[in-house]
Amino acid sequence: MEEEEEGWSEHGGRGGGKNKNLAQKWLMQAQVSPQAWQFCWALLSPDKVPEIQYFGASALHTKISRYWSDIPSDQYETLKTQLFSQIACFSSGSKMVLTRLCVALASLALNTMPEAWPGAVPEMVRVFQEEGGGVDGRARCLALLELLTVLPEEFQTSRLPQYRKGQVRGALGREWGSVCPLLQQLLRRGDSPGAVKARVLRCLSSWVLLDVPLSESEGLVEDCFTALPDPELFDTAVEAIVNAISQPDSQRYVNTLLKLVPQVLSLQEQLREAVQNGDMETSHGICRIAVALGENHSRALLEQVEHWQGFLALVNMIMFCTGIPGHYPVNETTSSLTLTFWYTLQDDIMSFDSERQAVYLQVYRPVYFQLVDVLLHKAQFPSDQEYASWSSDEKEQFRIYRVDISDTLMYVYEMLGAELLSNLYEKLGRILTNTEQASSWQHTEALLYGFQSIAETIDVNYSDVIPGLIGLIPRISINNVQLADTVMFTIGALAEWLADHPVMLSSVLPLVLQALGNPDLSVSSVSTLKKICRECKYDLPPYATNIVAVSQEVLIKQIHKTSQCMWLMQALGFLLSALPVEEILRNLHSLITPYIQQLEKLADETPNPSNKLAIIHILGLLSNLFTTLDISKQEDESGEGTAPPVKTAPPPPGPNPVVVVLQQVFALIQTVLSKWLNDSQVVEAVCAIFEKSVKTLLHDFAPMVSQLSEMLGQMYSTIPQASALDLTRQMVHIFASETDNFPPIKALFELVTSVTLSIFQQGAQTPALKRKPDLFLSESLDVKAVFHCGVLSLKFPEAPTVKSTCLFFTELLPRCSDVPPVARVVQEDGKLLLQAVLEAIGGGSSRSLMDQFAEVLFSLNKHCFPLLTVWLKEALQAAGFPSTRVTTEQKDTFTQQILRERVNKRRVKDIVKEFTLVCRGLHGTEYAAEY
């Protein structure tokens, strides 16, 4: 054994992968082998290096915490004594080994208290207070504190059964009575070394996790405040105070909380000094304490009306932290900690009955108006020079901080109401009209940002200051990107208001169109134009020519990135929707022609990566234009202000402008497709054009149905792709009930299902599917889309379609076991299939098809039994489903009968026939006899 152990100690000090693995093996053996105890103590012997001693201690802990039941009860005492003596030995040795040994003894205490080791904590204290063993008092004291600190921590992570957890928590709670005075004594002693005080503070943090009563710890928590001036103890003391104040149970001890308020207020001097000296750590820590008290206990402290001045002083201290000088996150990181406090305080004030609310509002409304000033000051950008020196990470943190401020302002508006907007408007008016004293752009920007924060989510239609605000906007001298962005976003936030006051459009629209030409304002100007075109489209015809011209110019100059170009097209779609049809066509012609010419050129070229991107871009522009170009809305929008007069003319005769354009470019799109049929992204972009158009036009899309069905059929039979399937599904959904348009769609659908089935059948025979079914199917087929198509077509009126679909599902479901994509889709959407089948049985489909539906049900039962048991119960719970004629008892019987038959298909068909007759009210009639 000697030599082996020598080898071990050689490896121990070096680290590295090989040694780690050896060590792991050792630990595994130590955990399970009966000789483990011998190993553990041997590994702890003084001649070993610390790494090996650490493994010994860890193995002991594992043995005690996980394999407690293996330890005979007559060994508890010996084990305890050995651990005590090892802890004494290591109290002046390796810190990491000492901690592991303390954790092992803590685990032993948790497993034996309160029965087998009733006075565990007092005994620990006694053992370590006794002199002797050649260990100095300070080391013994530190070891005891380590042990007391890990005890509650070990309890939090222990694997004790639930009933034991309750017993042990109670026992530990009772021990706090003897731990607390000890900690207090050590903290108050003038000669206690810093290390001991730091450990005391950590020990308190650990015990408050057990929710020990704050009233019992009151003196100790107050003593923690005396440690704050000591830089060595500051962080640990903050942590201890914050943990003690924040434990959920502490709100019961109002008297203690009231005593803590002056303690926290007494830190203001230290806080001010820290701010003056730029000591961010200290100001951050003190702020955490003030916020912990305010945020966790605002309601309890508000209720103590006779102490209102103390609480108001605490609120003002937190206000000081919110407005701490310097720019977040570069010169300070404290202000962001305070924002949630303001939400909490407002919620608590507003939750009182109206009489008490009125009293609190008298005191706190002025405070919240001051808060708005402070927040807008904090939201200001630094000087251009300083901002330029910030890293991109700092700029991003500042952006998020401003969003948090914006959310807070929006929330505060609930309390301050319209007066808040008037207040902002007056300030903005003062700085924009004051000729004597020029103010910074940052000040203007922050006030506008405040306005935008509120107007974005709150209906400001009633506010009497908005006309004035819109009047002020053109007076702003915009000389910088951040200010210009905020001006744009503010106009965007007021789009709904502009729809009700269209006379004001002429003063802001020129600003938006001018900004469109500036690449730096891309996001803000395009999104604002889109909002205006969406909200105010019926008031825009006089400006349409101008908007289209400017938009065309910026598109041709390629000023904007792809996604903004797409938004711009959506804006134009909204705009054109409100024009007469001939004007729509004229504008579409001038807008689209350059792209069509470009696409014709690209369609002639040999496919390569760069022309692929250009093709996808052009197809995307068309899709986005057709997403919002919707003339059908003209006749049904007759709200106020923005809508056309109520007596609108009937929709113009003749085809929809979108259809006219699609028919003109159809041949070109086919040419593009023929070259790019293998590329799923191009196919997707083509399908998107039609999909967006079908979604917007609905039945107006009819003239395109037969052409498109034919093209989709050809695409899908050459190379089946998900996007083609989705589009098929969309068309089936919209046109299934229309006899005129139905034949081509039905033909398309049958083609799609047969192609899909043949893929499955080929797949079953191909080695590819056997080896990598997941890959094969995801490349050649979007199972989810096929599945949904199938569910839809079960509701078709034509028997042949329904039969082939049922066959499709009976072939698909067995693949649950070997094709992950099939298993996934059945798990996610199988309930939809079951509902469609039950609907058909309940009377939705012809009785002659019941055998086919029974086969699908049988297949579900055979291949998805656990899921089916849940789905059947859920689906049949709905009242009146699948028929108003069946009772709950009949549904339950049907469920039990079906779930029992997993072998006999004939029997399932009989059960389904029986149930469908009950659902149709034909049970026991002559019809039934024929059936």
Side-chain angles (χ1 to χ4, degrees):
M1 186 70 195
E2 269 309 297
E3 281 175 31
E4 261 183 76
E5 285 191 1
E6 273 312 310
W8 254 99
S9 76
E10 234 173 72
H11 292 308
R14 313 239 195 299
K18 186 178 154 205
N19 315 333
K20 265 211 178 97
N21 291 342
L22 274 172
Q24 290 297 342
K25 273 192 190 151
W26 254 100
L27 273 176
M28 290 310 292
Q29 287 173 338
Q31 286 166 17
V32 292
S33 71
Q35 296 79 29
W37 301 111
Q38 284 69 34
F39 287 140
C40 297
W41 305 117
L43 294 178
L44 282 164
S45 71
D47 58 344
K48 297 281 176 278
V49 292
E51 282 81 352
I52 289 194
Q53 295 171 330
Y54 179 82
F55 290 139
S58 281
L60 267 175
H61 171 240
T62 302
K63 194 82 180 154
I64 294 170
S65 61
R66 294 196 192 169
Y67 300 97
W68 178 252
S69 53
D70 296 355
I71 304 171
S73 54
D74 58 359
Q75 284 188 25
Y76 294 172
E77 251 339 282
T78 332
L79 185 55
K80 186 165 79 180
T81 314
Q82 276 176 302
L83 276 168
F84 268 129
S85 73
Q86 285 291 349
I87 289 173
C89 295
F90 277 94
S91 60
S92 41
S94 157
K95 168 81 174 71
M96 66 176 186
V97 180
L98 174 67
T99 300
R100 287 325 282 162
L101 287 167
C102 287
V103 172
L105 182 56
S107 187
L108 178 116
L110 296 174
N111 277 302
T112 49
M113 64 197 313
E115 298 85 2
W117 189 5
V121 175
E123 186 175 339
M124 291 172 185
V125 175
R126 198 181 63 250
V127 169
F128 284 97
Q129 279 181 333
E130 286 166 1
E131 298 293 326
V135 182
D136 75 357
R138 177 167 172 261
R140 278 206 316 276
C141 180
L142 284 170
L144 170 62
L145 286 170
E146 183 63 24
L147 181 56
L148 292 176
T149 304
V150 298
L151 190 59
E153 289 169 358
E154 178 67 9
F155 172 75
Q156 301 293 343
T157 57
S158 69
R159 301 169 170 225
L160 295 171
Q162 212 45 50
Y163 78 96
R164 282 279 299 143
K165 270 209 146 158
Q167 287 178 336
V168 176
R169 179 189 277 274
L172 282 172
R174 290 189 289 280
E175 302 291 10
W176 179 236
S178 53
V179 175
C180 188
L182 170 74
L183 297 181
Q184 212 167 343
Q185 184 192 342
L186 288 170
L187 201 53
R188 284 182 175 174
R189 273 175 58 172
D191 60 348
S192 280
V196 169
K197 288 185 173 177
R199 199 65 62 79
V200 166
L201 295 166
R202 266 194 50 217
C203 191
L204 169 62
S205 272
S206 174
W207 278 79
V208 295
L209 292 174
L210 296 171
D211 261 351
V212 291
L214 187 61
S215 52
E216 290 179 24
S217 334
E218 187 181 295
L220 180 56
V221 174
E222 289 187 359
D223 290 344
C224 293
F225 281 87
T226 59
L228 289 169
D230 181 342
E232 295 298 304
L233 299 176
F234 180 81
D235 289 343
T236 330
V238 167
E239 217 48 60
I241 295 169
V242 168
N243 287 337
I245 294 174
S246 308
Q247 60 174 60
D249 191 47
S250 56
Q251 41 202 327
R252 299 190 358 226
Y253 306 100
V254 178
N255 288 334
T256 304
L257 295 172
L258 287 170
K259 288 181 195 164
L260 289 176
V261 174
Q263 292 270 8
V264 175
L265 293 174
S266 69
L267 301 174
Q268 290 181 92
E269 199 41 52
Q270 193 182 352
L271 173 62
R272 287 208 170 82
E273 268 171 36
V275 169
Q276 262 163 357
N277 304 332
D279 172 358
M280 277 160 77
E281 275 72 27
T282 302
S283 51
H284 198 82
I286 293 176
C287 172
R288 279 185 62 202
I289 293 173
V291 168
L293 185 57
E295 201 175 303
N296 288 293
H297 304 295
S298 66
R299 183 160 182 118
L301 293 168
L302 277 170
E303 283 177 332
Q304 305 305 306
V305 183
E306 62 282 14
H307 297 278
W308 69 273
Q309 282 157 309
F311 184 57
L312 181 58
L314 177 67
V315 171
N316 284 322
M317 180 177 176
I318 295 175
M319 179 80 79
F320 175 79
C321 296
T322 305
I324 211 157
H327 285 288
Y328 181 94
V330 178
N331 327 102
E332 63 92 6
T333 53
T334 300
S335 58
S336 62
L337 298 179
T338 64
L339 297 180
T340 358
F341 164 74
W342 298 108
Y343 283 80
T344 310
L345 177 60
Q346 179 177 325
D347 282 346
D348 288 334
I349 291 172
M350 303 311 270
S351 69
F352 287 113
D353 59 65
S354 53
E355 221 169 293
R356 289 174 72 185
Q357 212 182 86
V359 177
Y360 287 118
L361 285 176
Q362 244 177 331
V363 177
Y364 286 102
R365 262 178 79 89
V367 173
Y368 272 83
F369 273 114
Q370 187 195 344
L371 173 68
V372 172
D373 290 345
V374 167
L375 288 176
L376 290 177
H377 182 71
K378 293 297 293 182
Q380 284 188 26
F381 278 89
S383 70
D384 296 335
Q385 192 183 354
E386 194 183 330
Y387 190 64
S389 72
W390 285 12
S391 70
S392 58
D393 187 43
E394 286 166 339
K395 287 177 179 169
E396 177 58 10
Q397 280 185 20
F398 180 59
R399 186 191 68 77
I400 294 168
Y401 174 68
R402 278 176 44 110
V403 171
D404 292 340
I405 286 181
S406 170
D407 291 345
T408 312
L409 288 171
M410 195 179 78
Y411 204 73
V412 167
Y413 177 83
E414 299 289 319
M415 177 151 137
L416 301 181
E419 199 183 329
L420 172 53
L421 289 178
S422 317
N423 189 300
L424 293 176
Y425 172 62
E426 273 165 33
K427 291 196 170 81
L428 191 62
R430 267 205 303 279
I431 59 174
L432 289 178
T433 51
N434 185 346
T435 44
E436 273 107 74
Q437 186 186 359
S439 84
S440 66
W441 70 262
Q442 285 90 340
H443 196 173
T444 309
E445 189 279 334
L447 285 167
L448 272 180
Y449 184 68
F451 249 114
Q452 175 211 323
S453 304
I454 294 161
E456 226 163 17
T457 44
I458 284 154
D459 177 9
V460 291
N461 271 354
Y462 62 84
S463 166
D464 50 4
V465 301
I466 307 290
L469 171 68
I470 295 220
L472 284 174
I473 286 178
R475 301 183 64 141
I476 299 172
S477 62
I478 300 176
N479 46 11
N480 127 309
V481 171
Q482 284 91 2
L483 176 59
D485 255 340
T486 302
V487 168
M488 278 306 112
F489 283 126
T490 306
I491 296 172
L494 295 170
E496 284 183 41
W497 185 90
L498 287 166
D500 289 342
H501 306 81
V503 64
M504 305 298 276
L505 276 167
S506 57
S507 59
V508 291
L509 203 52
L511 292 173
V512 179
L513 294 178
Q514 189 189 346
L516 274 184
N518 182 344
D520 291 333
L521 305 179
S522 182
V523 174
S524 60
S525 63
V526 175
S527 70
T528 296
L529 181 65
K530 184 180 155 184
K531 280 182 180 169
I532 290 177
C533 289
R534 188 181 62 213
E535 300 299 334
C536 314
K537 60 182 171 194
Y538 297 113
D539 303 300
L540 289 176
Y543 310 97
T545 317
N546 198 4
I547 296 174
V548 173
V550 172
S551 303
Q552 264 183 297
E553 189 186 339
V554 299
L555 284 167
I556 288 164
K557 287 185 179 166
Q558 298 183 338
I559 284 174
H560 301 287
K561 292 203 175 86
T562 303
S563 52
Q564 275 67 53
C565 293
M566 302 304 159
W567 291 0
L568 189 50
M569 278 303 204
Q570 288 181 21
L572 294 172
F574 285 125
L575 173 75
L576 297 181
S577 302
L579 300 179
V581 171
E582 56 278 10
E583 278 187 46
I584 298 181
L585 285 167
R586 199 177 64 241
N587 277 298
L588 280 177
H589 182 73
S590 69
L591 191 61
I592 293 176
T593 307
Y595 293 112
I596 301 303
Q597 291 166 346
Q598 225 176 321
L599 195 58
E600 281 168 342
K601 212 163 103 250
L602 291 163
D604 285 342
E605 295 174 10
T606 316
N608 68 53
S610 73
N611 60 21
K612 169 181 163 173
L613 284 176
I615 287 173
I616 289 177
H617 182 75
I618 293 173
L619 295 172
L621 292 174
L622 295 176
S623 298
N624 280 281
L625 180 61
F626 296 155
T627 303
T628 53
L629 207 174
D630 185 2
I631 58 171
S632 65
K633 289 285 191 293
Q634 291 195 11
E635 61 271 26
D636 56 16
E637 290 217 5
S638 43
E640 298 157 27
T642 174
V646 179
K647 291 184 178 162
T648 45
N656 186 296
V658 173
V659 172
V660 174
V661 174
L662 286 176
Q663 285 174 328
Q664 287 168 355
V665 298
F666 199 80
L668 172 59
I669 287 177
Q670 278 184 300
T671 314
V672 171
L673 258 184
S674 61
K675 287 204 175 171
W676 291 90
L677 202 48
N678 288 339
D679 190 297
S680 64
Q681 287 169 299
V682 175
V683 172
E684 207 169 298
V686 167
C687 289
I689 291 185
F690 294 106
E691 194 179 347
K692 302 282 200 246
S693 312
V694 170
K695 269 188 178 159
T696 313
L697 301 181
L698 300 172
H699 300 289
D700 282 356
F701 189 78
M704 295 293 302
V705 166
S706 60
Q707 273 171 297
L708 184 56
S709 299
E710 196 182 334
M711 181 174 96
L712 280 170
Q714 290 162 353
M715 283 162 63
Y716 196 75
S717 28
T718 321
I719 297 176
Q721 289 190 4
S723 44
L725 249 177
D726 269 333
L727 180 49
T728 303
R729 189 176 90 193
Q730 195 91 43
M731 287 175 41
V732 168
H733 202 66
I734 294 169
F735 294 103
S737 57
E738 295 198 358
T739 36
D740 300 352
N741 298 308
F742 194 61
I745 292 186
K746 188 178 143 227
L748 167 65
F749 189 74
E750 283 171 356
L751 179 106
V752 166
T753 36
S754 71
V755 170
T756 308
L757 274 176
S758 67
I759 291 175
F760 274 104
Q761 283 148 359
Q762 285 164 22
Q765 291 137 24
T766 53
L769 184 60
K770 288 213 172 67
R771 273 202 320 278
K772 286 192 175 156
D774 203 352
L775 183 76
F776 172 79
L777 270 171
S778 58
E779 278 178 4
S780 58
L781 188 64
D782 178 344
V783 184
K784 197 176 177 77
V786 176
F787 191 90
H788 278 260
C789 261
V791 171
L792 273 173
S793 58
L794 285 177
K795 302 174 185 179
F796 281 6
E798 282 75 16
T801 311
V802 176
K803 278 184 179 169
S804 64
T805 309
C806 285
L807 172 71
F808 165 71
F809 280 117
T810 51
E811 301 237 357
L812 180 78
L813 292 167
R815 311 313 308 247
C816 278
S817 54
D818 61 346
V819 182
V822 175
R824 260 199 308 279
V825 80
V826 171
Q827 194 156 10
E828 288 167 14
D829 300 325
K831 190 176 164 189
L832 295 174
L833 170 62
L834 175 68
Q835 281 169 323
V837 169
L838 291 172
E839 216 171 288
I841 297 171
S845 278
S846 154
R847 272 170 38 219
S848 62
L849 294 166
M850 289 306 114
D851 278 4
Q852 278 77 15
F853 284 109
E855 298 227 6
V856 178
L857 204 47
F858 180 73
S859 194
L860 276 167
N861 202 15
K862 195 168 174 180
H863 301 287
C864 324
F865 180 73
L867 293 166
L868 183 66
T869 49
V870 179
W871 294 336
L872 262 175
K873 192 175 163 203
E874 286 174 359
L876 290 172
Q877 246 170 358
F881 181 83
S883 155
T884 46
R885 296 190 178 91
V886 280
T887 64
T888 308
E889 290 74 33
Q890 287 168 321
K891 291 200 265 192
D892 289 346
T893 312
F894 172 68
T895 302
Q896 285 157 8
Q897 288 176 324
I898 290 290
L899 293 174
R900 230 177 288 150
E901 294 301 335
R902 297 180 67 191
V903 187
N904 186 341
K905 195 189 290 185
R906 186 68 258 146
R907 177 82 188 98
V908 172
K909 290 181 176 177
D910 292 340
I911 297 165
V912 167
K913 279 184 180 168
E914 183 83 11
F915 189 61
T916 197
L917 289 171
V918 176
C919 289
R920 295 164 197 258
L922 300 174
H923 199 259
T925 64
E926 59 205 279
Y927 280 116
E930 291 164 22
Y931 191 42

